[in-house]
Amino acid sequence: MVIENLVRPNIRAMKPYSSARDEFEGEAHVMLDANENSLGSAGPERFNRYPDPHQRAVKAALAPLKNVAPEQIFLGNGSDEAIDLLVRLTCVPGQDSILILPPTYGMYEVAANLNDVAMERLPLTADFQLSPEIVAQVVASKAKLVFICSPNNPTGNLLYADAVEEILRGFGGLVIVDEAYADFTTAPSWTTRLAEFPNLVVMQTFSKAWGLAGLRLGMAFASPEIIGYLNKIKPPYNISEATQQHALAALQDAERFEAMRTGLLKGRDWLAERLPSVGIVEEVFPSDANFLLARFRPDATAVYDYLLEKGIVVRNRTTQPGCAGCLRLTVGTPAENEALLTALQEFES
Ligand SMILES: Cc1ncc(COP(=O)(O)O)c(C=O)c1O
């Protein structure tokens, strides 16, 4: 597969913006090249200088953790930025399409709509999986991108690895495996297969297990060629200095990461064990993420509204394909999990 052929001609031809920090990278006493404020910053912290546009320190810390080279890492303002840039990189507005496998994360469709890119939808099976028929349809599609969310949001399950591999071998466009919830599963990350598949892009995020949703920091891992193209089209300073500093500190706090990850997994098991015996719960789907999708009877939206009245917000997924009657429940603190369970037990239908 020639990746260059998947890149929009105008992007192949364009020159990226050359920032002041690109043109001078050394140490200097007098920095008068970027129209910054040499006097300092308003507020308690000093952020008067533009950040490293290549986020070298963060990538140097991340690369060994993910077992990839720094040149295989793209950092975005959340994975949502990577989703948007991948669509823009490959799809000519008004002409090309992307492929999604509903029910799935909503931002793929938003990015397509925003960029005037057509949508192809191939719904997952009733148990939210890929089937040989779906795989054959993906492979036959002329879409430029397919988004495969695994573990999937809102369903929580991993998609069959064999089926994903068949897609990687047969599909003519980029295969984006969105692993936002990778830290909550024991399955190996698709980053371990990057060398085998030149069309593979793996996305992960600091928003979930790292507990840094407020920072907005997402990762994409792929060949240096694909990452080079993403870097070419990103806004020059897309990751703020504050975010880079916080991310570096977080990466050095592996203990806290592991403790939170283990705690959330315990919470998930605790809820998954107890929810099925609640009268209004019809089914709890298996989860490899930090949430559970559950089907409620007789009226999930009434349960949703009741929980809201009690000050508990969950995600109403009843209108998503295949998710009639389903609410998505994020694993909280032990006290929050208990409050949710008690409220559900007390619901009178
Ligand atoms: C599957 C999936 N991908 C990406 C994201 C967004 O991640 P970020 O916060 O890094 O933009 C989410 C957030 O809920 C998600 O569920």
Side-chain angles (χ1 to χ4, degrees):
M1 172 176 294
V2 181
I3 295 300
E4 198 185 344
N5 293 344
L6 290 172
V7 173
R8 276 165 63 186
N10 63 306
I11 291 177
R12 267 184 265 155
M14 76 182 235
K15 268 194 169 170
Y17 178 71
S18 178
S19 71
R21 286 301 107 87
D22 279 317
E23 290 174 15
F24 177 78
E25 295 191 2
E27 292 283 315
H29 297 301
V30 182
M31 301 281 286
L32 301 177
D33 59 341
N35 298 345
E36 296 154 334
N37 185 338
S38 292
L39 305 186
S41 314
E45 311 269 358
R46 257 188 105 101
F47 289 120
N48 56 329
R49 298 297 176 188
Y50 281 104
D52 176 3
H54 308 291
Q55 307 103 21
R56 273 164 285 220
V58 179
K59 288 180 184 172
L62 201 52
L65 190 74
K66 300 292 178 184
N67 215 5
V68 297
E71 303 73 44
Q72 291 179 285
I73 305 174
F74 169 81
L75 295 178
N77 186 2
S79 328
D80 288 344
E81 183 177 33
I83 293 168
D84 178 61
L85 290 181
L86 284 161
V87 171
R88 279 203 268 168
L89 178 67
T90 53
C91 295
V92 176
Q95 178 182 312
D96 290 327
S97 62
I98 69 160
L99 182 52
I100 63 165
L101 306 162
T104 194
Y105 182 48
M107 279 303 288
Y108 313 139
E109 183 161 355
V110 171
N113 290 340
L114 176 64
N115 291 298
D116 192 17
V117 164
M119 295 289 305
E120 288 179 41
R121 294 179 186 81
L122 290 173
L124 295 168
T125 61
D127 59 350
F128 307 130
Q129 268 302 346
L130 289 165
S131 65
E133 293 71 32
I134 297 169
V135 171
Q137 284 177 278
V138 174
V139 167
S141 164
K142 292 280 172 274
K144 289 293 176 78
L145 292 181
V146 58
F147 282 102
I148 299 178
C149 190
S150 182
N152 190 27
N153 177 8
T155 61
N157 61 302
L158 287 162
L159 298 192
Y160 294 140
D162 288 356
V164 175
E165 188 164 336
E166 255 185 82
I167 291 172
L168 279 161
R169 291 191 194 287
F171 180 62
L174 293 186
V175 178
I176 320 299
V177 181
D178 187 345
E179 293 185 346
Y181 301 96
D183 296 309
F184 304 109
T185 173
T186 51
S189 166
W190 284 93
T191 55
T192 57
R193 312 290 301 275
L194 282 171
E196 280 170 74
F197 302 111
N199 56 339
L200 171 61
V201 179
V202 180
M203 293 197 307
Q204 294 184 5
T205 178
F206 281 82
S207 297
K208 311 296 172 185
W210 289 96
L212 295 170
L215 267 195
R216 310 306 301 127
L217 187 59
M219 303 162 256
F221 307 101
S223 66
E225 186 183 8
I226 296 175
I227 297 302
Y229 279 119
L230 289 175
N231 284 331
K232 184 177 182 181
I233 63 172
K234 77 179 178 69
Y237 302 116
N238 64 328
I239 308 297
S240 77
E241 179 61 29
T243 298
Q244 294 190 42
Q245 285 179 17
H246 276 278
L248 263 182
L251 287 166
Q252 278 144 27
D253 195 5
E255 232 170 272
R256 175 91 177 116
F257 167 81
E258 193 47 37
M260 288 194 296
R261 199 179 71 82
T262 313
L264 292 171
L265 292 179
K266 261 196 200 156
R268 182 180 81 195
D269 290 348
W270 189 90
L271 276 172
E273 240 170 65
R274 286 160 181 79
L275 283 171
S277 50
V278 176
I280 52 171
V281 174
E282 189 178 310
E283 186 171 8
V284 180
F285 293 92
S287 172
D288 276 87
N290 66 335
F291 59 83
L292 291 163
L293 187 74
R295 185 164 275 139
F296 289 82
R297 64 187 157 217
D299 181 357
T301 298
V303 177
Y304 173 83
D305 292 338
Y306 157 83
L307 288 173
L308 262 191
E309 267 170 40
K310 297 227 148 198
I312 300 172
V313 197
V314 298
R315 193 87 153 123
N316 190 339
R317 298 285 80 183
T318 51
T319 59
Q320 299 296 299
C323 297
C326 289
L327 303 180
R328 194 191 66 195
L329 316 169
T330 305
V331 176
T333 63
E336 288 169 337
N337 298 337
E338 235 167 274
L340 172 67
L341 187 74
T342 306
L344 290 174
Q345 284 164 339
E346 288 169 1
F347 180 85
E348 283 167 27
S349 51

mmCIF file of all heavy atoms in Angstrom, residues 42-70:
data_model
loop_
_atom_site.group_PDB
_atom_site.id
_atom_site.type_symbol
_atom_site.label_atom_id
_atom_site.label_comp_id
_atom_site.label_asym_id
_atom_site.label_seq_id
_atom_site.Cartn_x
_atom_site.Cartn_y
_atom_site.Cartn_z
ATOM 1 N N ALA A 42 0.842 37.253 32.930
ATOM 2 C CA ALA A 42 -0.196 37.491 33.927
ATOM 3 C C ALA A 42 -0.508 36.150 34.590
ATOM 4 O O ALA A 42 -0.367 35.106 33.950
ATOM 5 C CB ALA A 42 -1.435 38.065 33.257
ATOM 6 N N GLY A 43 -0.921 36.186 35.847
ATOM 7 C CA GLY A 43 -1.212 34.921 36.544
ATOM 8 C C GLY A 43 0.024 34.371 37.220
ATOM 9 O O GLY A 43 1.125 34.899 37.056
ATOM 10 N N PRO A 44 -0.167 33.310 38.007
ATOM 11 C CA PRO A 44 0.911 32.825 38.875
ATOM 12 C C PRO A 44 2.037 32.078 38.139
ATOM 13 O O PRO A 44 3.136 31.969 38.656
ATOM 14 C CB PRO A 44 0.198 31.883 39.847
ATOM 15 C CG PRO A 44 -1.045 31.456 39.129
ATOM 16 C CD PRO A 44 -1.418 32.563 38.204
ATOM 17 N N GLU A 45 1.759 31.526 36.953
ATOM 18 C CA GLU A 45 2.766 30.688 36.279
ATOM 19 C C GLU A 45 3.353 31.428 35.091
ATOM 20 O O GLU A 45 2.711 32.296 34.509
ATOM 21 C CB GLU A 45 2.111 29.390 35.771
ATOM 22 C CG GLU A 45 1.267 28.674 36.782
ATOM 23 C CD GLU A 45 2.060 27.645 37.580
ATOM 24 O OE1 GLU A 45 3.266 27.484 37.285
ATOM 25 O OE2 GLU A 45 1.467 27.031 38.480
ATOM 26 N N ARG A 46 4.565 31.041 34.724
ATOM 27 C CA ARG A 46 5.209 31.650 33.546
ATOM 28 C C ARG A 46 4.924 30.816 32.316
ATOM 29 O O ARG A 46 5.404 29.680 32.210
ATOM 30 C CB ARG A 46 6.719 31.723 33.789
ATOM 31 C CG ARG A 46 7.211 33.095 34.159
ATOM 32 C CD ARG A 46 8.725 33.125 34.187
ATOM 33 N NE ARG A 46 9.241 33.804 33.010
ATOM 34 C CZ ARG A 46 9.679 35.059 33.015
ATOM 35 N NH1 ARG A 46 9.640 35.769 34.131
ATOM 36 N NH2 ARG A 46 10.160 35.610 31.918
ATOM 37 N N PHE A 47 4.142 31.390 31.429
ATOM 38 C CA PHE A 47 3.862 30.723 30.147
ATOM 39 C C PHE A 47 4.074 31.704 28.994
ATOM 40 O O PHE A 47 3.351 31.674 28.012
ATOM 41 C CB PHE A 47 2.407 30.211 30.113
ATOM 42 C CG PHE A 47 2.154 29.040 31.027
ATOM 43 C CD1 PHE A 47 1.214 29.131 32.052
ATOM 44 C CD2 PHE A 47 2.854 27.855 30.865
ATOM 45 C CE1 PHE A 47 0.985 28.051 32.898
ATOM 46 C CE2 PHE A 47 2.627 26.771 31.702
ATOM 47 C CZ PHE A 47 1.692 26.877 32.732
ATOM 48 N N ASN A 48 5.070 32.605 29.135
ATOM 49 C CA ASN A 48 5.202 33.652 28.116
ATOM 50 C C ASN A 48 5.858 33.174 26.828
ATOM 51 O O ASN A 48 5.815 33.870 25.827
ATOM 52 C CB ASN A 48 5.953 34.863 28.677
ATOM 53 C CG ASN A 48 7.317 34.510 29.231
ATOM 54 O OD1 ASN A 48 7.506 33.397 29.720
ATOM 55 N ND2 ASN A 48 8.268 35.409 29.152
ATOM 56 N N ARG A 49 6.441 31.967 26.838
ATOM 57 C CA ARG A 49 7.084 31.445 25.628
ATOM 58 C C ARG A 49 6.204 30.400 24.946
ATOM 59 O O ARG A 49 5.510 29.619 25.613
ATOM 60 C CB ARG A 49 8.427 30.796 25.993
ATOM 61 C CG ARG A 49 9.427 31.755 26.608
ATOM 62 C CD ARG A 49 9.817 32.846 25.648
ATOM 63 N NE ARG A 49 10.709 33.835 26.262
ATOM 64 C CZ ARG A 49 11.076 34.972 25.671
ATOM 65 N NH1 ARG A 49 10.610 35.277 24.464
ATOM 66 N NH2 ARG A 49 11.882 35.810 26.280
ATOM 67 N N TYR A 50 6.260 30.366 23.627
ATOM 68 C CA TYR A 50 5.524 29.325 22.895
ATOM 69 C C TYR A 50 6.093 27.954 23.267
ATOM 70 O O TYR A 50 7.288 27.817 23.542
ATOM 71 C CB TYR A 50 5.654 29.549 21.385
ATOM 72 C CG TYR A 50 4.733 30.632 20.876
ATOM 73 C CD1 TYR A 50 5.226 31.892 20.557
ATOM 74 C CD2 TYR A 50 3.373 30.387 20.743
ATOM 75 C CE1 TYR A 50 4.372 32.889 20.108
ATOM 76 C CE2 TYR A 50 2.520 31.382 20.294
ATOM 77 C CZ TYR A 50 3.022 32.626 19.979
ATOM 78 O OH TYR A 50 2.175 33.605 19.538
ATOM 79 N N PRO A 51 5.228 26.933 23.260
ATOM 80 C CA PRO A 51 5.705 25.587 23.639
ATOM 81 C C PRO A 51 6.463 24.915 22.497
ATOM 82 O O PRO A 51 6.410 25.377 21.355
ATOM 83 C CB PRO A 51 4.401 24.837 23.911
ATOM 84 C CG PRO A 51 3.405 25.486 23.009
ATOM 85 C CD PRO A 51 3.783 26.935 22.933
ATOM 86 N N ASP A 52 7.139 23.818 22.822
ATOM 87 C CA ASP A 52 7.828 23.023 21.799
ATOM 88 C C ASP A 52 6.779 22.494 20.815
ATOM 89 O O ASP A 52 5.903 21.712 21.197
ATOM 90 C CB ASP A 52 8.554 21.858 22.489
ATOM 91 C CG ASP A 52 9.212 20.915 21.484
ATOM 92 O OD1 ASP A 52 9.149 21.202 20.268
ATOM 93 O OD2 ASP A 52 9.765 19.889 21.930
ATOM 94 N N PRO A 53 6.837 22.885 19.541
ATOM 95 C CA PRO A 53 5.813 22.422 18.592
ATOM 96 C C PRO A 53 5.889 20.917 18.343
ATOM 97 O O PRO A 53 4.932 20.329 17.846
ATOM 98 C CB PRO A 53 6.126 23.202 17.308
ATOM 99 C CG PRO A 53 7.512 23.725 17.456
ATOM 100 C CD PRO A 53 7.826 23.783 18.918
ATOM 101 N N HIS A 54 7.023 20.313 18.667
ATOM 102 C CA HIS A 54 7.181 18.868 18.421
ATOM 103 C C HIS A 54 7.041 18.043 19.700
ATOM 104 O O HIS A 54 7.176 16.821 19.661
ATOM 105 C CB HIS A 54 8.536 18.600 17.771
ATOM 106 C CG HIS A 54 8.769 19.464 16.563
ATOM 107 N ND1 HIS A 54 8.045 19.302 15.407
ATOM 108 C CD2 HIS A 54 9.589 20.524 16.362
ATOM 109 C CE1 HIS A 54 8.440 20.223 14.535
ATOM 110 N NE2 HIS A 54 9.364 20.981 15.079
ATOM 111 N N GLN A 55 6.823 18.681 20.817
ATOM 112 C CA GLN A 55 6.597 18.013 22.126
ATOM 113 C C GLN A 55 7.643 16.933 22.388
ATOM 114 O O GLN A 55 7.326 15.790 22.743
ATOM 115 C CB GLN A 55 5.180 17.392 22.158
ATOM 116 C CG GLN A 55 4.060 18.327 21.824
ATOM 117 C CD GLN A 55 3.515 18.124 20.414
ATOM 118 O OE1 GLN A 55 3.689 17.077 19.811
ATOM 119 N NE2 GLN A 55 2.858 19.122 19.873
ATOM 120 N N ARG A 56 8.920 17.310 22.186
ATOM 121 C CA ARG A 56 9.974 16.288 22.245
ATOM 122 C C ARG A 56 10.104 15.613 23.600
ATOM 123 O O ARG A 56 10.311 14.406 23.682
ATOM 124 C CB ARG A 56 11.317 16.897 21.820
ATOM 125 C CG ARG A 56 11.512 16.839 20.316
ATOM 126 C CD ARG A 56 12.600 17.745 19.880
ATOM 127 N NE ARG A 56 12.107 19.118 19.937
ATOM 128 C CZ ARG A 56 12.385 20.047 19.029
ATOM 129 N NH1 ARG A 56 13.191 19.768 18.021
ATOM 130 N NH2 ARG A 56 11.890 21.249 19.140
ATOM 131 N N ALA A 57 9.997 16.390 24.686
ATOM 132 C CA ALA A 57 10.188 15.792 26.011
ATOM 133 C C ALA A 57 9.076 14.781 26.306
ATOM 134 O O ALA A 57 9.346 13.677 26.809
ATOM 135 C CB ALA A 57 10.220 16.882 27.083
ATOM 136 N N VAL A 58 7.840 15.135 25.975
ATOM 137 C CA VAL A 58 6.719 14.213 26.239
ATOM 138 C C VAL A 58 6.892 12.945 25.400
ATOM 139 O O VAL A 58 6.726 11.827 25.894
ATOM 140 C CB VAL A 58 5.356 14.875 25.932
ATOM 141 C CG1 VAL A 58 4.217 13.903 26.194
ATOM 142 C CG2 VAL A 58 5.177 16.137 26.770
ATOM 143 N N LYS A 59 7.250 13.120 24.134
ATOM 144 C CA LYS A 59 7.398 11.943 23.265
ATOM 145 C C LYS A 59 8.560 11.065 23.723
ATOM 146 O O LYS A 59 8.473 9.831 23.648
ATOM 147 C CB LYS A 59 7.596 12.381 21.815
ATOM 148 C CG LYS A 59 6.325 12.928 21.193
ATOM 149 C CD LYS A 59 6.550 13.364 19.765
ATOM 150 C CE LYS A 59 5.279 13.997 19.215
ATOM 151 N NZ LYS A 59 5.489 14.606 17.889
ATOM 152 N N ALA A 60 9.614 11.694 24.229
ATOM 153 C CA ALA A 60 10.768 10.902 24.707
ATOM 154 C C ALA A 60 10.359 10.048 25.904
ATOM 155 O O ALA A 60 10.822 8.915 26.067
ATOM 156 C CB ALA A 60 11.927 11.821 25.062
ATOM 157 N N ALA A 61 9.482 10.580 26.753
ATOM 158 C CA ALA A 61 9.028 9.821 27.928
ATOM 159 C C ALA A 61 7.998 8.757 27.533
ATOM 160 O O ALA A 61 7.924 7.681 28.128
ATOM 161 C CB ALA A 61 8.430 10.774 28.966
ATOM 162 N N LEU A 62 7.198 9.064 26.523
ATOM 163 C CA LEU A 62 6.110 8.176 26.108
ATOM 164 C C LEU A 62 6.612 6.989 25.273
ATOM 165 O O LEU A 62 6.082 5.872 25.380
ATOM 166 C CB LEU A 62 5.118 9.010 25.288
ATOM 167 C CG LEU A 62 3.692 8.547 25.115
ATOM 168 C CD1 LEU A 62 3.041 8.225 26.447
ATOM 169 C CD2 LEU A 62 2.907 9.640 24.370
ATOM 170 N N ALA A 63 7.627 7.249 24.439
ATOM 171 C CA ALA A 63 8.080 6.236 23.472
ATOM 172 C C ALA A 63 8.446 4.900 24.141
ATOM 173 O O ALA A 63 7.946 3.847 23.723
ATOM 174 C CB ALA A 63 9.226 6.777 22.633
ATOM 175 N N PRO A 64 9.298 4.896 25.190
ATOM 176 C CA PRO A 64 9.627 3.611 25.804
ATOM 177 C C PRO A 64 8.428 2.946 26.483
ATOM 178 O O PRO A 64 8.305 1.721 26.483
ATOM 179 C CB PRO A 64 10.707 3.967 26.841
ATOM 180 C CG PRO A 64 10.657 5.438 27.008
ATOM 181 C CD PRO A 64 10.038 6.015 25.779
ATOM 182 N N LEU A 65 7.526 3.761 27.014
ATOM 183 C CA LEU A 65 6.339 3.207 27.674
ATOM 184 C C LEU A 65 5.454 2.471 26.674
ATOM 185 O O LEU A 65 4.846 1.436 26.977
ATOM 186 C CB LEU A 65 5.557 4.364 28.297
ATOM 187 C CG LEU A 65 4.426 4.029 29.232
ATOM 188 C CD1 LEU A 65 4.976 3.547 30.561
ATOM 189 C CD2 LEU A 65 3.526 5.244 29.455
ATOM 190 N N LYS A 66 5.366 3.003 25.461
ATOM 191 C CA LYS A 66 4.494 2.424 24.434
ATOM 192 C C LYS A 66 5.267 1.528 23.481
ATOM 193 O O LYS A 66 4.686 0.965 22.539
ATOM 194 C CB LYS A 66 3.801 3.543 23.640
ATOM 195 C CG LYS A 66 2.932 4.448 24.495
ATOM 196 C CD LYS A 66 1.721 3.696 25.028
ATOM 197 C CE LYS A 66 0.860 4.566 25.919
ATOM 198 N NZ LYS A 66 -0.248 3.810 26.513
ATOM 199 N N ASN A 67 6.569 1.436 23.687
ATOM 200 C CA ASN A 67 7.404 0.599 22.834
ATOM 201 C C ASN A 67 7.333 0.995 21.356
ATOM 202 O O ASN A 67 7.211 0.132 20.480
ATOM 203 C CB ASN A 67 7.001 -0.870 23.015
ATOM 204 C CG ASN A 67 8.199 -1.779 22.906
ATOM 205 O OD1 ASN A 67 9.336 -1.294 22.788
ATOM 206 N ND2 ASN A 67 7.979 -3.076 22.907
ATOM 207 N N VAL A 68 7.380 2.287 21.118
ATOM 208 C CA VAL A 68 7.427 2.819 19.748
ATOM 209 C C VAL A 68 8.531 3.884 19.703
ATOM 210 O O VAL A 68 9.026 4.314 20.745
ATOM 211 C CB VAL A 68 6.083 3.466 19.326
ATOM 212 C CG1 VAL A 68 4.953 2.448 19.303
ATOM 213 C CG2 VAL A 68 5.730 4.633 20.240
ATOM 214 N N ALA A 69 8.888 4.303 18.503
ATOM 215 C CA ALA A 69 9.870 5.384 18.371
ATOM 216 C C ALA A 69 9.155 6.729 18.497
ATOM 217 O O ALA A 69 7.973 6.826 18.156
ATOM 218 C CB ALA A 69 10.552 5.289 17.011
ATOM 219 N N PRO A 70 9.860 7.768 18.957
ATOM 220 C CA PRO A 70 9.214 9.090 19.042
ATOM 221 C C PRO A 70 8.622 9.527 17.699
ATOM 222 O O PRO A 70 7.576 10.182 17.675
ATOM 223 C CB PRO A 70 10.358 10.022 19.464
ATOM 224 C CG PRO A 70 11.335 9.139 20.165
ATOM 225 C CD PRO A 70 11.239 7.792 19.496
#
